[in-house]
Amino acid sequence: MGTIITKDGTEIYYKDWGSGQPIVFSHGWPLSADAFEDQMFFLASRGYRCVAADRRGHGRSSQPWTGNDLDTYADDLAELVRQLDLKKAIHVGHSTGGGEVARYIGRHGTSRVAKAVLIGAIPPVMLKSAANPGGLPIEVFDGLRASVQADRSQFWKELSLPFYSYNRPGAKVSEGVRESFWLQSMMAGFPASYFCIKAFSETDLTEDLKRFDVPTLVLHGDDDQIVPYANSALLSSKIIRNAKLVIYKDAPHGMCTTLKDRVNEELIGFIKT
């Protein structure tokens, strides 16, 4: 584990486990690199170098007022890759992290990228508009902002239920998972918690997806209540050339935790192919 300093002086914390071909993980809002520990431990134990950073404003990284946008997130990722001199990396992004991976490829190309994986990811764009009629209305995201401002500790507790589909009839709820979600979320600073909502909802990543020229896995659950799959994975997989689309029936947004064994096997199968 260590830190890097970006060009604007932001300190980015990262974990670096194992050795071998690098796999770089980009987490979702409002979590941290801890959200990928199940995948990191599994893959590091099988001969891969697993690197995951806390996005600026999240986790153990600095909490600057500025830079809570996908361009800066992507540039921070590029700086991490450059400073660690990672080559032929496999980039895995969940939710907002999937948008970060897309914008990273869009802005920095694939000279250091071998493959990409988008899990429950936000691309191409979440916000509803005339050009994107299947998106979510702005009122949804205004509601998120209002909840963050009103009582974000309580909001994180409530958000953990749909995040893991624990609000479904008959769901087996893990209070430990919910507490971990709350803890990671509370480590995110107020600016990132608030400003990242605009970043993940309004950023159009269509042109970034068109720049993908590496094997790509698009993985999503059809019970994703945070990023509905019909307007994300189904569209992204058509824009990315030769993408492999896998939809898990009844799987939630937080499938990397609730279905970690299945996701781990999906990842290593794709990586080895």
Side-chain angles (χ1 to χ4, degrees):
M1 294 180 283
T3 60
I4 64 164
I5 305 296
T6 68
K7 60 185 179 183
D8 70 351
T10 300
E11 185 175 60
I12 302 293
Y13 169 97
Y14 68 91
K15 305 180 184 190
D16 191 347
W17 298 352
S19 60
Q21 184 178 12
I23 305 175
V24 184
F25 296 87
S26 295
H27 66 81
W29 170 89
L31 303 177
S32 71
D34 294 358
F36 270 121
E37 282 199 337
D38 289 317
Q39 286 67 50
M40 293 179 69
F41 189 83
F42 176 86
L43 292 165
S45 299
R46 286 158 177 79
Y48 295 92
R49 180 183 179 184
C50 295
V51 176
D54 290 352
R55 185 172 299 113
R56 66 166 56 213
H58 299 68
R60 289 138 294 202
S61 292
S62 297
Q63 298 185 4
W65 179 258
T66 59
N68 293 291
D69 58 82
L70 278 169
D71 284 356
T72 307
Y73 295 161
D75 291 349
D76 288 348
L77 176 58
E79 189 63 21
L80 176 71
V81 168
R82 186 191 67 80
Q83 290 196 32
L84 298 184
D85 194 26
L86 304 179
K87 299 174 181 176
K88 297 182 179 179
I90 297 152
H91 282 268
V92 180
H94 173 250
S95 196
T96 299
E100 178 180 291
V101 170
R103 182 50 53 92
Y104 166 71
I105 290 176
R107 284 172 71 85
H108 300 278
T110 57
S111 63
R112 290 177 176 263
V113 181
K115 294 184 178 183
V117 182
L118 306 180
I119 304 176
I122 61 171
V125 60
M126 290 192 71
L127 183 65
K128 182 177 182 178
S129 66
N132 185 44
L136 296 173
I138 189 67
E139 289 78 14
V140 171
F141 305 108
D142 287 342
L144 295 180
R145 280 183 277 264
S147 295
V148 166
Q149 285 187 294
D151 184 351
R152 76 182 198 278
S153 179
Q154 181 61 33
F155 175 56
W156 301 142
K157 288 186 176 182
E158 295 170 357
L159 184 61
S160 68
L161 291 171
F163 195 95
Y164 299 105
S165 288
Y166 286 160
N167 57 344
R168 296 308 194 201
K172 183 180 179 180
V173 178
S174 167
E175 291 301 327
V177 166
R178 295 188 66 200
E179 289 172 6
S180 177
F181 179 93
W182 176 86
L183 178 61
Q184 290 179 60
S185 301
M186 286 304 296
M187 291 174 71
F190 204 127
S193 299
Y194 186 89
F195 294 129
C196 187
I197 296 169
K198 180 179 178 66
F200 72 65
S201 63
E202 298 184 32
T203 306
D204 190 338
L205 297 155
T206 303
E207 294 304 314
D208 303 274
L209 297 177
K210 291 177 181 178
R211 294 200 63 189
F212 280 49
D213 58 3
V214 295
T216 302
L217 170 65
V218 179
L219 179 61
H220 221 107
D222 71 0
D223 193 38
D224 191 321
Q225 300 173 62
I226 309 301
V227 182
Y229 79 105
N231 203 61
S232 54
L234 296 188
L235 300 181
S236 293
S237 63
K238 294 177 182 178
I239 298 169
I240 299 170
R241 281 170 288 180
N242 301 316
K244 177 184 178 183
L245 174 65
V246 178
I247 301 295
Y248 284 179
K249 182 175 174 55
D250 299 328
H253 191 60
M255 67 165 71
C256 290
T257 298
T258 62
L259 297 173
K260 61 185 179 181
D261 293 339
R262 188 175 176 187
V263 170
N264 290 347
E265 291 297 335
E266 193 82 54
L267 286 176
I268 199 165
F270 175 71
I271 289 166
K272 286 184 172 182
T273 301

